[in-house]
């Protein structure tokens, strides 16, 4: 048995930068985010937004600066950090032999959700994203937009105090972007700290309590 | 009535020869010479190592008891089962990567011409056919000569075994091609195409050739790069079965066991392949554990299908390893999830091995306690080896090779889990046969393998953060 400490949602990234060999992926950048707030990272392609999110999520170690989650070093090898951070950065690996609803039930059960209502929670989340009619589809049977909504559902299905999203608007039409905006706003209202990279001015306007401009290295 | 404007004679072989020269220069001739040389080296290896090993195995066993057991209906059934399993595997392999896989430029620029397709792709078929027939004949000759020299059978029977090997090679190659031909729907793909190689080659569709060439590149590249996940996904068929079945929610541990069960329901081929191979391995292992006259190599041989059978049921474990390095979605700890994915394959293997041992015990009148404990040890050993296989990570870098991972190191890295099973499993059985107290060594070695596998899974989870 292991004990998990529930971390607070304060995100502090102080002058974090990343250089691999001679290539600078991210210039030193500072991001501070608090619970119930949403910070949007903005910047041109290649400026290092994804790298910054990976550093905040503890998936990547910074070469300069420090990143913390709830006062603890952001390192996903720490189970407490893993328990605190839900992240949609890149493509989550899915099980090719599970349907969409099976995935959500699995995620829910793995976090100790009530087995009697796991299906209802999964279906409600899918309904919120407008993909409940796809519950018995396998991941390889989705369009690119549906796949993005499914990835978001997977990320939202697990509990978290910090939510990291890398361009959640990708491949979504205008209506679906509004749906996702509402969902993110609700998650922040419920107490989560949201840090997201976004290219959509509408979503940024609707969600951002603060915008951080990430400067490209060159 | 078709309207014919004019006809023209073309020399297929002449045109293909010219294309061959333009595209490959002298490469084709050199390739043929290399194939002959590889065959020569394989023949020498069989002569130097295969033949002495086979005859030594026979001579170290009790020939009379071994002859009696090999002549039993059960042995015939096991041999038949193994032959059917190999032939079915060849057919299944043909549906993904057949024997006829020319390079893509050759497919696009030569195979698409009006030249007889049996000529344009004939070289690859002859190579694959020759390889299978040669390997079958060589295996037959090695085994036949070995058991005849060891005094188990007469030379007449040895000749029949050699001939059987060649026929088996021919059949395996033909089924491999048949699997490739049947990838494309249409008429003229019946069993008769097995006997008519040129007809089968003409029935190969260009899209199948392209797909198999692409499969070959992807699988070959990912195997060389040590990325078996890509190779597995390339080989896998999309899942569409049991769509309406639902994963039943449960505790953080139980839900993963249910996940694996549902996965087997949706991919029944993995379940049946696992069962068939496990039964094959279990029969040989039970025979070896209940008959003192059986040579120790029988355990080694029996562990091979048992290892792959366990692997057929361990898809969940491999999928868990695939997920390592991606943002965390699941709340269950890595160790608990790993153990949960071992439950079904270990349980099924235990049932099959235990069942086979019980049947063998009824046949001979008794089963020793050591044999029962050995079965438990072998199941744990298979679990440990599959942990090593699933969480093997990236190939190690050699300090002596400029490319980092040389071919020998890569092969050793791939074979490590199965070698661990064969070595520890055989050693544990031999030690137990010699002295019942030695069983403790088998238990300790198995515990070390399991512990190594678990630590590898945790190390892999730590290593990806750079």
């Amino acid at each position: 048995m292991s004990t998990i400490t529930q971390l607070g949602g304060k995100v502090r990234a102080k002058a974090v930068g990343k250089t691999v060999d001679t290539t600078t992926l991210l210039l030193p950048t500072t991001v501070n985010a608090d619970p119930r707030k949403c910070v949007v990272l903005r910047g041109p392609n290649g400026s290092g937004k994804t790298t910054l999110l990976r550093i905040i999520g503890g998936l990547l170690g910074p070469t300069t600066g420090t990143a913390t989650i709830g006062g603890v070093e952001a390192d996903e090898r720490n189970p407490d950090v893993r328990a605190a951070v839900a992240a949609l950065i890149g493509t989550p690996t899915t099980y090719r032999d599970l349907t969409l609803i099976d995935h959500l039930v699995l995620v829910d059960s793995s976090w100790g959700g009530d087995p009697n209502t796991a299906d209802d929670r999964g279906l409600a989340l899918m309904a919120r994203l407008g993909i409940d009619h796809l519950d018995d589809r396998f991941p390889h049977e989705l369009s690119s937009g549906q796949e993005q909504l499914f990835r978001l559902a997977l990320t939202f299905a697990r509990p978290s105090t910090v939510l990291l999203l890398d361009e959640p608007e990708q491949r979504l039409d205008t209506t679906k972007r509004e749906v996702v905006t509402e969902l993110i706003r609700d998650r922040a209202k419920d107490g989560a700290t949201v840090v997201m990279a976004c290219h959509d001015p509408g979503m940024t306007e609707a969600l951002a309590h603060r915008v951080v401009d990430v400067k490209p290295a060159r | 009535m078709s309207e014919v404007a004019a006809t023209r004679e073309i020399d297929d072989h002449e045109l293909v020869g010219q294309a061959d020269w333009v595209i490959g220069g002298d490469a084709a001739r050199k390739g043929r010479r290399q194939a002959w040389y590889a065959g020569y080296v394989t023949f020498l290896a069989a002569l130097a190592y295969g033949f002495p090993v086979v005859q030594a195995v026979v001579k170290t066993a009790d020939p009379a008891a071994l002859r009696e057991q090999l002549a039993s209906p059960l042995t015939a059934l096991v041999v038949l089962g193994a032959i059917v399993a190999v032939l079915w595997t060849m057919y299944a392999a043909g549906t993904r990567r057949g024997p006829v896989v020319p390079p893509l430029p050759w497919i696009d620029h030569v195979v698409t011409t009006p030249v007889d397709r049996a000529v344009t792709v004939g070289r690859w078929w002859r190579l694959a056919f020759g390889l299978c027939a040669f390997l079958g004949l060589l295996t037959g000759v090695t085994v036949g000569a070995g058991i005849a020299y060891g005094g188990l059978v007469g030379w007449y029977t040895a000749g029949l075994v050699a001939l059987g090997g060649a026929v088996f090679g021919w059949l395996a190659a033909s089924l491999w091609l048949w699997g490739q031909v049947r990838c494309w729907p249409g008429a003229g793909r019946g069993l008769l195409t097995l006997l008519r190689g040129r007809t089968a080659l003409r029935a190969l569709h260009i899209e199948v050739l392209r797909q198999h060439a692409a499969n070959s590149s992807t699988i070959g590249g990912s195997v060389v790069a040590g990325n078996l996940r890509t190779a597995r996904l390339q080989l896998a068929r999309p899942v569409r079965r049991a769509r309406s079945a639902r994963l039943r929610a449960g505790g953080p541990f139980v839900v993963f066991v249910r996940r694996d069960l549902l996965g087997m329901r949706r991919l029944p081929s993995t379940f049946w392949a696992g069962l068939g191979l496990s039964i094959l391995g279990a029969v040989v292992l039970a025979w070896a554990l209940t008959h003192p006259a059986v040579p120790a190599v029988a355990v080694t041989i029996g562990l091979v299908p048992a290892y792959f059978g366990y692997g057929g049921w361990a898809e969940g474990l491999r999928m868990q390893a695939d997920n390592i390095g991606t943002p965390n979605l699941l709340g269950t700890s890595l160790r608990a999830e790993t153990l949960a994915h071992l439950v079904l394959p270990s349980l099924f293997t235990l049932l099959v091995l235990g069942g086979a041992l019980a049947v063998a015990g009824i046949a001979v009148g008794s089963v020793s306690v050591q044999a029962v404990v050995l079965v438990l040890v072998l199941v744990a050993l298979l679990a440990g080896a599959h942990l090593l296989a699933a969480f093997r990570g990236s190939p190690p870098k050699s300090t002596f090779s400029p490319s980092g991972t040389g071919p020998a190191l890569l092969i050793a890295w791939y074979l490590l889990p199965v070698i661990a099973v064969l070595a520890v499993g055989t050693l544990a059985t031999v030690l137990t046969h010699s002295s019942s107290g030695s069983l403790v060594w088998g238990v300790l070695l198995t515990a070390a393998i399991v512990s190594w596998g678990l630590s590898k899974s945790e190390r892999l989870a730590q290593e990806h953060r750079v």
Side-chain angles (χ1 to χ4, degrees):
Chain A
M1 290 293 284
S2 55
T3 310
I4 300 289
T5 306
Q6 196 176 344
L7 300 177
K10 277 190 177 177
V11 172
R12 297 287 179 267
K14 288 180 188 164
V16 289
K18 182 74 181 176
T19 302
V20 175
D21 297 328
T22 56
T23 308
T24 302
L25 302 179
L26 174 70
L27 289 172
T29 308
T30 296
V31 176
N32 293 321
D34 293 317
R36 299 177 190 281
K37 303 288 182 207
C38 176
V39 172
V40 173
L41 309 177
R42 208 166 51 181
N45 293 331
S47 55
K49 299 184 296 297
T50 304
T51 304
L52 180 54
L53 284 172
R54 289 179 68 80
I55 289 171
I56 293 171
L59 296 160
L60 199 64
T63 38
T64 62
T66 56
T68 59
I69 300 278
V72 171
E73 185 196 351
D75 184 340
E76 73 80 47
R77 290 172 292 188
N78 180 345
D80 300 339
V81 172
R82 289 206 297 273
V85 179
L88 177 58
I89 305 171
T91 311
T93 311
T94 51
Y95 296 94
R96 66 190 177 94
D97 53 7
L98 291 189
T99 59
L100 305 198
I101 185 64
D102 292 336
H103 276 90
L104 296 183
V105 167
L106 182 74
V107 171
D108 189 86
S109 295
S110 74
W111 289 97
D114 179 3
N116 297 319
T117 50
D119 284 68
D120 300 337
R121 278 192 295 280
L123 284 171
L125 182 56
M126 290 175 77
R128 183 100 198 259
L129 287 162
I131 52 170
D132 50 331
H133 61 293
L134 306 173
D135 62 338
D136 63 354
R137 291 253 186 114
F138 292 99
H140 62 84
E141 297 173 326
L142 301 177
S143 73
S144 62
Q146 290 167 342
E147 205 175 322
Q148 174 69 358
L149 291 166
F150 171 52
R151 290 174 192 166
L152 284 161
L154 280 175
T155 312
F156 281 97
R158 54 152 291 181
S160 64
T161 49
V162 175
L163 187 60
L164 305 178
L165 302 169
D166 190 10
E167 300 178 16
E169 77 280 8
Q170 270 180 25
R171 306 172 201 169
L172 301 183
D173 60 38
T174 314
T175 316
K176 286 288 186 283
R177 287 184 183 200
E178 285 169 7
V179 169
V180 171
T181 304
E182 277 306 306
L183 206 55
I184 297 170
R185 184 184 286 136
D186 288 354
R187 190 50 88 92
K189 269 186 196 161
D190 291 343
T193 307
V194 181
V195 181
M196 57 185 264
C198 186
H199 287 293
D200 184 317
M203 280 180 84
T204 305
E205 175 73 27
L207 289 168
H209 293 95
R210 191 182 316 135
V211 175
V212 173
D213 284 307
V214 182
K215 301 273 186 298
R218 57 176 175 173
Chain B
M1 289 284 291
S2 63
E3 195 175 309
V4 178
T7 58
R8 186 163 61 94
E9 289 291 324
I10 55 169
D11 185 339
D12 295 327
H13 292 278
E14 171 69 17
L15 288 173
V16 168
Q18 286 176 10
D20 204 10
W21 184 258
V22 170
I23 290 178
D26 205 21
R29 195 177 58 83
K30 283 181 181 165
R32 277 192 288 273
R33 270 173 50 190
Q34 280 176 350
W36 280 110
Y37 182 69
Y40 170 67
V41 171
T42 312
F43 172 73
L44 287 184
L47 199 67
Y49 302 107
F51 171 68
V53 166
V54 174
Q55 58 106 1
V57 164
V58 175
K59 280 189 170 174
T60 52
D62 176 358
L66 198 57
R67 192 180 300 120
E68 188 189 321
Q69 283 164 18
L70 286 177
S72 70
L74 183 66
T75 308
L77 204 65
V78 170
V79 171
L80 189 69
I83 289 171
V84 169
V86 172
L87 292 179
W88 181 83
T89 306
M90 292 302 285
Y91 174 78
T95 62
R96 284 285 175 264
R97 199 279 187 196
V100 181
V101 186
L104 276 168
W106 184 271
I107 294 172
D108 284 344
H109 301 302
V110 181
V111 183
T112 48
T113 63
V115 176
D116 183 5
R117 187 152 292 175
V119 177
T120 56
V121 300
R123 182 195 311 162
W124 287 271
W125 166 237
R126 283 194 297 276
L127 182 69
F129 180 80
L131 181 76
C132 289
F134 171 72
L135 287 179
L137 178 67
L138 194 62
T139 308
V141 168
T142 308
V143 173
I147 56 177
Y149 193 77
L152 197 66
V153 296
W155 285 99
Y156 173 71
T157 311
L160 283 181
V161 171
L163 186 66
V167 171
F168 178 69
W170 165 76
L171 205 53
S174 301
L175 279 166
W176 193 12
L177 179 62
W178 198 42
Q180 188 173 18
V181 170
R182 288 177 67 85
C183 280
W184 195 261
R189 307 174 311 141
L191 263 173
L192 273 179
T193 44
L194 273 175
L195 303 171
R196 296 192 292 235
R198 293 178 74 80
T199 310
L201 293 180
R202 289 185 188 115
L204 285 169
H205 197 279
I206 194 77
E207 284 307 318
V208 170
L209 291 172
R210 281 203 186 102
Q211 184 59 49
H212 284 211
N215 281 351
S216 190
S217 304
T218 310
I219 294 167
S222 51
V223 167
V224 169
N227 178 6
L228 282 184
R229 177 175 182 257
T230 306
R232 275 190 7 253
L233 289 179
Q234 190 74 19
L235 285 169
R237 291 174 195 279
V239 184
R240 293 202 172 84
R241 297 174 70 100
R243 183 186 297 278
S244 56
R246 285 276 183 92
L247 175 67
R248 199 149 60 85
F253 185 90
V254 173
V255 75
F256 285 96
V257 181
R258 287 181 184 157
R259 194 229 76 83
D260 290 350
L261 199 59
L262 184 60
M264 284 183 207
R265 201 172 150 194
R266 285 180 176 152
L267 283 166
S269 58
T270 61
F271 174 78
W272 292 113
L275 185 64
L277 287 165
S278 294
I279 288 175
L280 202 60
V283 170
V284 178
L285 287 169
W287 175 55
L289 294 178
T290 49
H291 292 77
V294 175
V297 75
V299 176
T300 319
I301 293 169
L303 279 171
V304 174
Y307 173 82
F308 289 107
Y310 190 105
W313 292 326
E315 181 69 2
L317 191 69
R318 288 188 289 272
M319 286 186 181
Q320 185 200 359
D322 292 345
N323 280 327
I324 281 186
T326 57
N328 197 45
L329 278 175
L330 303 169
T332 308
S333 71
L334 180 85
R335 173 68 63 92
E337 190 187 341
T338 305
L339 293 175
H341 285 308
L342 290 175
V343 169
L344 285 184
S346 300
L347 182 68
F348 290 167
T349 307
L350 186 63
L351 286 174
V352 172
L353 261 178
L357 188 69
V359 171
I362 291 166
V364 297
S366 69
V367 175
S368 66
V369 177
Q370 288 92 328
V372 175
V373 178
L374 257 178
V375 163
L376 295 171
V377 167
L378 292 179
V379 173
L381 181 63
L382 289 169
H386 276 282
L387 284 173
L388 289 177
F391 297 97
R392 51 161 61 97
S394 306
K397 302 281 181 209
S398 166
T399 47
F400 303 108
S401 168
S403 60
T405 307
L409 190 61
L410 188 71
I411 291 168
W413 176 73
Y414 273 122
L415 291 181
L416 179 73
V418 72
I419 287 173
V421 164
L422 301 186
V424 174
T426 309
L427 192 67
T429 312
V430 170
L431 286 173
T432 309
H433 276 179
S434 64
S435 151
S436 57
S438 303
L439 185 59
V440 72
W441 288 107
V443 173
L444 287 175
L445 284 169
T446 301
I449 296 283
V450 173
S451 167
W452 186 17
L454 286 171
S455 73
K456 261 193 96 73
S457 70
E458 301 210 335
R459 204 176 321 136
L460 187 66
Q462 307 264 319
E463 271 174 356
H464 70 269
R465 187 180 188 267
V466 286

